[in-house]
């Protein structure tokens, strides 16, 4: 199921609510012009009060998992599978950053897993709790909407792989 199909499968009120929440969160960021991914990461680090570490891992290669965010006390970790396409990698990262911006680790249920200590959880529990492979929930839809808004803002800045119109007119 594509992202668009999954989003259309949500009840209209849920989809509309997700979109409004994403737009509000984006506006609240007050991002400067001429963005790049590094600057967005720094903005999210300031919001979260922790450094963000982004890593590619072969362990996600060949799976349907496109991102894993592990909040920690000192660092936020974002893992994604290898991809030859920078725009795809960027979208993986922006989606996970969007979860951070939206504070999805503070939602009911998320904290109980994190407080137990991730090192004591089995890989299957972590996979079910924190990996997102479908967009059927309002949280996932909101994060993807926000990631799309961030990607659009990046395309407006020079030096990012989406500034085609600016270069070629």
């Amino acid at each position: 199921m594509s992202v668009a199909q999954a989003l259309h499968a949500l009840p209209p009120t849920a989809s509309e609510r997700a979109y409004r929440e994403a737009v509000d969160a984006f506006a609240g960021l007050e991002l400067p012009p001429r963005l790049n991914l590094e600057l967005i990461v720094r903005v999210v680090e300031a919001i979260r009060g922790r450094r963000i570490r982004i890593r590619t891992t072969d362990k996600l290669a060949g799976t349907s998992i496109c991102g894993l965010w592990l909040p920690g006390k000192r660092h936020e970790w974002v893992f994604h599978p290898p991809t030859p396409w920078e725009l795809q990698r960027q979208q993986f990262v922006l989606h996970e950053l969007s979860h951070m911006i939206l504070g999805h680790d503070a939602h009911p249920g998320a904290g109980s897993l994190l407080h137990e200590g991730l090192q004591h959880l089995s890989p299957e529990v972590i996979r079910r709790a924190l990996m997102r492979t479908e967009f059927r929930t309002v949280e996932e839809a909101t994060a993807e909407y926000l990631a799309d808004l961030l990607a659009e803002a990046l395309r407006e800045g020079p030096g990012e792989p989406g500034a085609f119109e600016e270069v070629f007119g």
Side-chain angles (χ1 to χ4, degrees):
M1 176 181 287
S2 74
V3 172
Q5 290 170 326
L7 292 174
H8 287 296
L10 288 171
T13 56
S15 182
E16 290 167 3
R17 188 180 73 211
Y19 181 73
R20 280 193 308 273
E21 186 178 339
V23 168
D24 291 346
F26 181 79
L29 293 173
E30 299 178 0
L31 296 170
R34 304 181 64 84
L35 279 177
N36 59 41
L37 185 58
E38 183 179 313
L39 181 56
I40 291 175
V41 169
R42 284 188 297 206
V43 167
V44 179
E45 285 175 338
I47 291 168
R48 301 288 297 179
R50 295 177 204 89
R51 295 290 314 250
I52 296 171
R53 305 286 189 221
I54 300 169
R55 300 288 187 265
T56 302
T57 177
D58 289 330
K59 294 181 185 223
L60 298 179
T63 71
S64 61
I65 299 162
C66 56
L68 169 63
W69 162 41
L70 296 176
K73 290 181 181 180
R74 293 181 37 201
H75 296 95
E76 306 276 0
W77 292 92
V78 173
F79 297 96
H80 63 82
T83 177
W85 301 288
E86 180 57 24
L87 286 176
Q88 185 177 39
R89 177 190 162 295
Q90 190 177 79
Q91 191 68 19
F92 293 160
V93 171
L94 289 174
H95 181 88
E96 300 309 318
L97 292 175
S98 294
H99 280 293
M100 292 179 206
I101 293 165
L102 295 163
H104 284 166
D105 58 328
H107 286 198
S112 61
L113 284 171
L114 298 173
H115 290 130
E116 290 177 20
L118 291 171
Q119 67 274 18
H120 302 295
L121 298 177
S122 73
E124 183 58 31
V125 170
I126 294 172
R127 181 176 297 120
R128 283 186 281 122
L130 299 173
M131 291 184 189
R132 290 156 291 272
T133 61
E134 297 182 3
F135 298 96
R136 293 185 182 164
T137 68
V138 173
E139 279 186 353
E140 288 306 312
T142 306
E144 193 62 17
Y145 280 136
L146 181 52
D148 288 346
L149 292 169
L150 291 168
E152 184 178 334
L154 283 175
R155 285 192 298 273
E156 293 175 4
E160 288 299 325
F164 183 85
E165 294 84 4
E166 188 172 308
V167 174
F168 296 104

